[in-house]
Structures are given as structure tokens and as C-alpha cells.
Amino acid sequence: MNHAKNLAGLALAAMIVTGCAGNDSSSVKAPATEADYRIAVAEANIALRKAANANNIWRDSGKILKNSAKAAKSGDFEKAIELALKAKRQGDMAVDQAAEQMDAGPQM
């Protein structure tokens, strides 16, 4: 029993050490590019199209995507991508909501 505890402790320590060894928080993230932005917008458009097909597009999703385009036009691709991904999440959640509430209504 004592050997099992020691073995479990060693295994846990090994996982922690290897997990931390690959986590270099000092590494610099590459700046966002226009190509990254275009990919994010394409994904957002797909999600919003699915939401529209489910008749459940959320009110602000289109506005968020327009603000994303404005940020990209001004060269702020980090902000543009952040907004595009927000619009994508809203589209995904709208599709989930539509499926979840498909049978919603008065129960008699």
C-alpha cells in the first residue's frame, strides 16, 4: 500500500514537471495578420448563417461583425479577430439555443 502511494506521488510529480516544462510564458505571440482575420470572419459568417437558418440569429451579432471589419480596416487585427470570434460564439450559441428550445411553448 505504501509503495502504491509513493508510485502515485512520483507519477503526479512527473506530470507536473513535464507539464510545466512546456509552458514557456515568456514566449512572444506572433502578431495577428489580415489572413488570421479573414479566417476568423469566415468562421463567424458560417456560424451566423447556421443561426439564421435556425431562425435564431441574435440581435447584436451583425453589429459585432461590422465593428470587427472597422477594426480590421484601421489595422487593429487583434481587436478585429477578437470581435469576429465573439460573433462566431454568438452564432454557435444561437444555434444551440434554437435546438434546445425547439419545443418551447405553453404546456397544456
Side-chain angles (χ1 to χ4, degrees):
M1 182 71 174
N2 206 11
H3 292 296
K5 286 183 182 178
N6 289 340
L7 206 53
L10 285 173
L12 180 61
M15 285 189 278
I16 291 171
V17 169
T18 55
C20 293
N23 188 5
D24 186 12
S25 61
S26 65
S27 63
V28 178
K29 185 179 172 187
T33 64
E34 185 174 357
D36 297 330
Y37 162 72
R38 289 179 187 268
I39 291 168
V41 167
E43 291 174 355
N45 282 325
I46 290 168
L48 293 177
R49 212 171 298 122
K50 287 179 183 178
N53 289 341
N55 292 320
N56 195 37
I57 193 152
W58 289 3
R59 180 194 67 208
D60 294 338
S61 300
K63 294 174 191 175
I64 293 168
L65 207 52
K66 285 180 185 177
N67 288 336
S68 173
K70 287 179 186 177
K73 190 173 182 179
S74 72
D76 189 355
F77 293 114
E78 293 288 336
K79 182 71 172 173
I81 291 169
E82 177 186 324
L83 290 169
L85 293 177
K86 182 176 181 178
K88 178 191 180 302
R89 282 190 305 275
Q90 284 196 359
D92 291 339
M93 289 188 293
V95 170
D96 291 344
Q97 180 185 37
E100 206 173 274
Q101 297 178 0
M102 186 181 310
D103 297 325
Q107 303 294 324
M108 295 186 190

